[in-house]
Amino acid sequence: MNKPKSILKIVLPLLLGVGLVWYSLSKISIPVLVQYFKDADYSWIIFGVFLGVLSHVSRAYRWLYMAEPLGFKPKFANSLMAVYAAYLINFTIPRAGEIARASILTNYENIPFDKGFGTIVAERIADTLMLLLIIAIAFILEFEFIYEFFASKFNPSTLLIAGSALLLLALILFLFIKKSNSQFALKVKGFVFGLTEGALSIFKMKNKWAFIGHTFFIWLMYVLMFYVTTYALPELQHISIAAVLIGFILASFSIAATNGGIGSYPEAIVIAFSLFAMAEDPSRAFGWIIWSTQTLVIIMLGGLSLLYLPIYNRKKTTV
């Protein structure tokens, strides 16, 4: 029963990714896309790649603070290589990278798998909270734009009725989940409890402020990486912060839709930028440029990490 379900979890994102790649390339001719790549200012692209690498380095260092309370002092090099290996493996099987990362730390740092995986899950909770914070900031900064956008599409009275209905539905759902013991309710309760417990556990850490500082730094680098790369194309050099934030948020969600965001990443950016009346061709080209350059770096450094991990640790054990 579980085998077909597991196969579907692997195959469906791949098929969706292939389908989206075909769709995306059907919307822009290959020569036009190639020309955008040729005309791009690669100084900004390289700068964006550098910021992306900084975020990964910070992520690897941040994890050391989570291993310390468990009684372990892992090597930073192993943590960094495990991060890049995990990113690379996520391109093959969705979310398998976290398992691989915990396995690498078990093999080379003797950290029990369950404990290592638990710290990685806690990291994901911190990252989820940061993404929610960015969404909240985007909503607050662009509330007028969001309201006007929906008001132009729908009648204000319709929006009021829909908003009231959603609030009522949310209240009913909350009361149902609170009192129900159904499988769905238990899953939601478990998720909320885990999110809350994980967030509170951060403040119980010895180096909590360093951990929080790295978390903010990681996501700042993510947003800046996205923003500075827009300068690579002349058509996007005057892009608004609102478009950057909305584009970044949708692109972040797209990574979970397919393996590493293949196909979905450029199209998510097209959808976001179209809200701001930006042309499709440069938006789609930008999506492919930032996705392909960041992916290339992950493939290179992830591959090198997988190759060098046994060599590095053999040297350490023979010293």
Side-chain angles (χ1 to χ4, degrees), residues 44-293:
W44 288 107
I45 294 173
I46 292 169
F47 187 32
V49 167
F50 172 70
L51 295 176
V53 170
L54 282 182
S55 72
H56 301 149
V57 170
S58 181
R59 178 177 295 279
Y61 200 86
R62 181 184 68 171
W63 181 79
L64 301 181
Y65 295 123
M66 304 203 73
E68 188 178 354
L70 301 176
F72 298 97
K73 291 186 178 181
K75 302 176 188 70
F76 168 71
N78 278 336
S79 179
L80 181 60
M81 287 188 282
V83 165
Y84 271 109
Y87 282 139
L88 177 61
I89 291 168
N90 273 335
F91 278 100
T92 58
I93 302 174
R95 290 172 290 280
E98 284 73 16
I99 297 172
R101 185 178 168 195
S103 299
I104 288 169
L105 296 169
T106 299
N107 291 334
Y108 297 117
E109 293 291 350
N110 297 317
I111 297 175
F113 178 84
D114 57 339
K115 291 185 178 181
F117 188 72
T119 59
I120 294 168
V121 170
E123 271 193 338
R124 286 287 176 252
I125 291 172
D127 292 330
T128 300
L129 291 171
M130 280 303 303
L131 183 56
L132 291 174
L133 177 62
I134 292 171
I135 293 171
I137 291 171
F139 183 80
I140 292 169
L141 292 178
E142 299 302 323
F143 177 80
E144 186 177 350
F145 168 80
I146 294 169
Y147 175 79
E148 288 178 356
F149 173 78
F150 282 103
S152 66
K153 303 290 183 183
F154 306 97
N155 187 286
S157 60
T158 304
L159 283 177
L160 182 61
I161 294 170
S164 301
L166 283 174
L167 284 174
L168 180 61
L169 181 63
L171 179 61
I172 293 170
L173 189 62
F174 171 76
L175 293 173
F176 168 76
I177 290 171
K178 186 177 180 181
K179 296 181 179 180
S180 174
N181 288 318
S182 66
Q183 189 175 5
F184 171 74
L186 291 174
K187 281 186 178 181
V188 173
K189 287 178 185 177
F191 173 77
V192 174
F193 177 77
L195 198 66
T196 306
E197 188 178 37
L200 292 175
S201 68
I202 293 171
F203 292 95
K204 297 176 184 177
M205 293 171 56
K206 181 180 178 182
N207 296 296
K208 56 181 177 291
W209 295 116
F211 180 91
I212 293 170
H214 274 282
T215 301
F216 275 96
F217 179 81
I218 290 166
W219 284 86
L220 177 62
M221 291 302 102
Y222 284 163
V223 175
L224 287 178
M225 171 194 73
F226 191 93
Y227 177 61
V228 301
T229 308
T230 62
Y231 281 90
L233 298 182
E235 296 88 343
L236 301 181
Q237 286 186 359
H238 300 292
I239 190 171
S240 66
I241 296 299
V244 169
L245 288 176
I246 301 298
F248 173 79
I249 290 166
L250 290 188
S252 298
F253 280 116
S254 75
I255 294 173
T258 60
N259 299 36
I262 183 169
S264 61
Y265 195 96
E267 291 311 301
I269 289 174
V270 172
I271 292 170
F273 286 2
S274 67
L275 298 176
F276 299 85
M278 298 174 68
E280 278 196 18
D281 276 3
S283 300
R284 188 167 278 112
F286 166 75
W288 277 108
I289 287 170
I290 188 171
W291 180 84
S292 57
T293 51

Side-chain angles (χ1 to χ4, degrees), residues 303-318:
L304 287 172
S305 295
L306 287 172
L307 290 172
Y308 190 62
L309 268 165
I311 299 171
Y312 173 78
N313 286 282
R314 185 173 67 241
K315 283 182 179 180
K316 290 295 180 181
T317 54
T318 56

